[in-house]
Amino acid sequence: MASTSMPSNVCMKLFFRDLNQTTIFDYPDFRICNPPKLGRPKGSGSSKLDPFREEIEAMLKCGVRQNYIAKKYDITPAALNQWIKKHGISTKAEVTSAE
């Protein structure tokens, strides 16, 4: 039976082949023994609210409630609140003095 992965004894031989090397990363076969990690990347991706950032900021400055904004963009109020905190958007309405 032929195995598609490299046997562990070959990896060990590569590792101990020359201990005078500074690191194992110097070996050309390092990627064969340690393939890159698969799966979902770390970090947050883009949100469906990102294209509407300016509009959401303007509504928050005018004093529109977060529940209304969340319903408008079909998300939960908690998700909107997390998005606002993540992007550092002020939720305080601007007070204009009438003179």
Side-chain angles (χ1 to χ4, degrees):
M1 288 186 201
S3 176
T4 57
S5 64
M6 182 174 275
S8 62
N9 60 351
V10 174
C11 289
M12 294 305 291
K13 286 179 184 178
L14 291 174
F15 180 74
F16 292 108
R17 178 171 57 189
D18 185 8
L19 293 177
N20 293 330
Q21 292 285 337
T22 55
T23 64
I24 186 127
F25 299 105
D26 296 333
Y27 294 117
D29 298 325
F30 176 74
R31 286 197 169 268
I32 295 172
C33 293
N34 299 311
K37 294 186 179 182
L38 302 175
R40 187 174 181 192
K42 292 182 180 180
S44 61
S46 62
S47 169
K48 71 178 190 178
L49 295 177
D50 289 340
F52 306 108
R53 180 179 178 143
E54 293 177 7
E55 187 177 340
I56 292 171
E57 285 179 353
M59 289 196 297
L60 288 170
K61 285 181 183 177
C62 292
V64 177
R65 294 181 181 254
Q66 290 184 21
N67 281 337
Y68 174 79
I69 298 171
K71 286 180 185 177
K72 181 176 180 181
Y73 295 107
D74 193 32
I75 61 168
T76 63
L80 175 66
N81 195 17
Q82 287 177 350
W83 183 84
I84 289 170
K85 287 180 181 178
K86 175 183 163 190
H87 291 283
I89 299 172
S90 175
T91 58
K92 306 252 192 261
E94 288 183 358
V95 178
T96 57
S97 60
E99 291 184 33

